Amino acid sequence: MTQASRRFWSDDLADLTPYVPGEQPKIDGLVKLNTNENPFPPSAKVIEAIRAAADEGLRLYPDPTSLALREALAGYHGVDAGQVFVGNGSDEVLGFLFRALFQRGRPILFPEITYSFYPVYCRLYGIASRTVALDEALAIDVEAMCRIDPASVSGVILPNPNAPTGRLLGLVDIERLAAHFTDCALVIDEAYVDFGGESAVGLVERYPNLLVTQTLSKSRSLAGLRLGFAIGQAGLIEALTRVKDSFNSYPVDRLASAGAIAALEDRLHFEDTREAIISMREQLAADLRARGFEVLPSAANFLLTRHPAHRGARLAEGLRAHRVIVRHFDRPRIEDYLRITIGSAADNAALLAALDQVLAGH
Amino acid sequence: MTQASRRFWSDDLADLTPYVPGEQPKIDGLVKLNTNENPFPPSAKVIEAIRAAADEGLRLYPDPTSLALREALAGYHGVDAGQVFVGNGSDEVLGFLFRALFQRGRPILFPEITYSFYPVYCRLYGIASRTVALDEALAIDVEAMCRIDPASVSGVILPNPNAPTGRLLGLVDIERLAAHFTDCALVIDEAYVDFGGESAVGLVERYPNLLVTQTLSKSRSLAGLRLGFAIGQAGLIEALTRVKDSFNSYPVDRLASAGAIAALEDRLHFEDTREAIISMREQLAADLRARGFEVLPSAANFLLTRHPAHRGARLAEGLRAHRVIVRHFDRPRIEDYLRITIGSAADNAALLAALDQVLAGH
């Protein structure tokens, strides 16, 4: 990057600090437990649907309103299609809603430790932010959030379960927040909700300020397809649609739409795989505790864990030397933790074997 | 849309006027010549590649850097992968570059009649704009653009060939613009260049301010897959990447990436189909002229045409009554024109038959 070319950059571009996703290494034989991907393949019906969609109509633009997919999601979640917005992954949905629902004038609010893309969107759009510390058990402190003057913020966003902690809030807490922050949008980012949480989608009818986002990346094994969505009252969905239609008419391609509809239809595959992951998570947590690890209670497809006698960065490095990749965040309060995705049974066994080596100093 | 829900909207959201794409009607048997889709299916190799990609790895995120695809595009266009940016359609690429390269302080410049998404991006980002009138033949007036003080604008963008006119500028004119507007980005939007234009990609080496965008939607028959790209010097690509990584880590999914790489490899299919479209375009232009139409010279996969004795809106309505859909823009200087996509031989014959009916008053 030469200084010369920066003269063509927009004024604040050099100040942006982009999000850094977990690495996608191209090395064979790695045990990849760093980006919360599902160890199971997607439903075979998804592959069939994609094959059929590839055979017909790729020369034509997709439906810019993604109506068939929104209807499928609406039917699944018991809402109207006008209450559903779809995008290229839930990251794009978040990218649209930050622009559509949060204000430049007043800060938005999110937990101190949370999905690290939120501050990136704030910088992209010039939105200020305030954070609320997690409690001593690394749970989101709803009490502290509800002590904040609602008129002082222009929006609230939090993942439930939270990332990277995996800790879950109950719907009672979500309702407390929705009832406290009545004059701004409250966004519940449910990327991981299918692994043990209860969705707030059932609350949108009663709370016009509530928007719930989800993704097919995790619990439907479709990270490679890019499909996220939001559910809320029609006025919030209209806001997102205005931004999307001012940016890209067709972010959801024909194959993603067809695959997503098929994924929603195969409930058995969904139930089987998520139950298997939940069960493997509890087993892995027990196996880690048996090795002296502290493990946060998780309602997600990952565990946040630390060993009292080992630094997090060292453990992550040690695992990598044994070809196991986990995620380590060099951030206050969680710098000694590892975030470990629940992998296949073989992945999890390889992780434990590698950990035993690392703990033994090898 | 109740007024109530608007209180959750960001301050300027109600002022956005989203882009309105050509309609994608779900009615069977329509002759659809309104959105410049390719009448030929994509290469069979694209379908194969998508099927193979669907069978493996959809559970995993795509490569956030899309390196394999950028390398394929770089090889095709004779540049380095660091000079290539890819996105979800060229609309998304445009959405990123408006944010990355144009300034809020000074207006950007584009032709008076051009792709109507440009002013939408300006509103989305709060960027001012100035337009330069087309000349009397509805061509982009390079002379007039080069009379504008380059210090007064923060960017220049134009399609070549222009849309919806189809009129082409030669590379000499592109170079004049690049040499005049040396201190800001000059973007050449080559969505239609493969149908008779010469790409400015060969100029990026010499002009650090030049960025060229293209799409696989039109000349590769992949509108339904969403793949656009930009080529320019590494500093400009880095600017786009910073914005993309502040918005969505993986806008290009695994299937789009695999399909796009296969499309680039099948040069024979590309050459055959584009030559057929160019030849059908010239035939259609002759057939329209034989019916009294004026037809602008086109280097795109569409024609802009008017009949001296018939209003454009009426003709469009009349064609629709005969189940043929074309695009009509209710805008000064082109309100009596129709923009007609080059369809299949059968589509074009149906269009002419319908026009004969409409002109005869049926």
Side-chain angles (χ1 to χ4, degrees), chain B residues 11 26 29 49 67 70 115 128-129 136 163 179 198 205 225 228 274 280 293 325 348 353:
Chain B
D11 290 329
K26 289 174 196 73
L67 184 60
R70 290 192 299 113
Y115 186 30
S129 62
E136 65 289 344
E198 192 180 353
E205 179 112 33
L225 197 64
R274 76 163 175 169
M280 290 194 294
F293 280 85
I325 303 188
N348 300 340

Side-chain angles (χ1 to χ4, degrees), chain A residues 161-176:
Chain A
N162 194 15
T165 65
R167 297 214 58 162
L168 183 72
L169 295 180
L171 288 192
V172 173
D173 281 325
I174 304 300
E175 282 207 71
R176 274 189 72 189

